[in-house]
Amino acid sequence: MRILVTGGAGYIGSHTVKWLLANGHQVTVYDNLSLGHRAAVPAEILVEGDLKDVDHLDQVLVGHQIDSVIHFAANSLVGESVTHPAKYYQNNLLNSLNLLERVRRHGIQRFVFSSTCATYGVPDAVPITEAQTQLPINPYGNTKLAFEKMLSDYAPAYNIGFAALRYFNASGASPDGTIGEDHTPESHLIPIVLQVALGKRPHVEIFGTDYPTPDGTCIRDYIHVDDLASAHLLALEKIVPGMGRFYNVGIGNGYSVREVIQTVEAVTGKKIAVKEGPRRAGDPPSLVAGSDLVRKELGWKPNYTELRSIVESAWNWHKKHPTGYAK
Ligand code: UFG
């Protein structure tokens, strides 16, 4: 396939690009490098561009004879989406619509969208199945859900096939240590705890210790970024024009914030200083994937089923790149 990967220089995007290349696909990365890293993808496949620039997008789609699109480019910080919703509606919804319009006009029939478990809001029940009510509790989730709906309306009308992958907590890094997680500022739990282990932060703050969970801290389903990557290719291969599918992509194991910190201590051999703080706005107590559908329909099987191995791969990246990419 000749695949355009928007946001391909970002964290999940770059790991997926690596996976696609390793599986023999022709990949063009379209990224404005506002959040992505030049060093995260081979220079020869990177096109610097913005989804606002539809003329440029047209040129790239035609020039590279694109037949499939994987769309990662987005903002994804829950807290920021609450304080700056305009940015999220512009980037995650309007720019995504630009892309979808170009896909329609060029007759591209395969589209994979990076959606999120944040579309469920506070879930009716855990593990979460795809059939559960989607009621986001923040603008980030609203924009992702709105684009899922756009896709659902476009697909039958314009014969576009799509898969929307609802990710749980992407984590870990490529086992060869060449690419990994590097956000500025960093807000995700595992990299923050690893930065404490590296002596780059004095402590980690636990956001809330009074949740209705066994140890009072939030529970999340951490999935290795390479296992997310493989799901994208499987989804792309199974797409049927005119039809859309939605899949939760998580392991199905929940770990609390305290368990993550303990795992980092075990992997790194360092004692992690902890400060207990108040809840962070917009955090549901527990998000764990029911992932039977992706396993059954796509034949997806994660390689990393234990948090420890995920943290080991992240630690390998952080030790080798203590200040991230190209610094
Ligand atoms: N946490 C802390 N301290 C920190 C950072 C995080 O206690 O310094 C806690 C959070 O409160 C949360 C858990 O650790 O309970 C995981 O937080 P992350 O920020 O690592 O991940 P989130 O679950 O908030 O976010 C992830 C994705 C988002 C997506 C969201 C859906 O990164 O893109 O899941 O809920 F929107």
Side-chain angles (χ1 to χ4, degrees), residues 76-78 116-118 140 167-169 187-190 192 204-208 211 218-220 222 257 280 283-284 287:
S76 62
L77 299 178
V78 168
T116 168
C117 60
Y140 168 65
Y167 310 151
F168 284 65
N169 286 57
S187 67
H188 295 95
L189 180 64
I190 291 177
I192 283 178
V204 55
E205 180 172 345
I206 299 182
F207 297 144
Y211 282 99
C218 283
I219 292 175
R220 293 290 180 272
Y222 295 90
V257 174
R280 183 173 71 176
D283 276 344
L287 294 171

Side-chain angles (χ1 to χ4, degrees), residues 189-212:
L189 180 64
I190 291 177
I192 283 178
V193 183
L194 290 173
Q195 286 172 357
V196 178
L198 281 171
K200 297 188 66 207
R201 287 177 190 256
H203 63 264
V204 55
E205 180 172 345
I206 299 182
F207 297 144
T209 52
D210 62 347
Y211 282 99

Side-chain angles (χ1 to χ4, degrees), residues 288-301:
V288 178
S291 54
D292 288 354
L293 199 62
V294 67
R295 292 170 195 262
K296 209 169 111 225
E297 285 194 3
L298 299 185
W300 177 77
K301 203 167 166 281

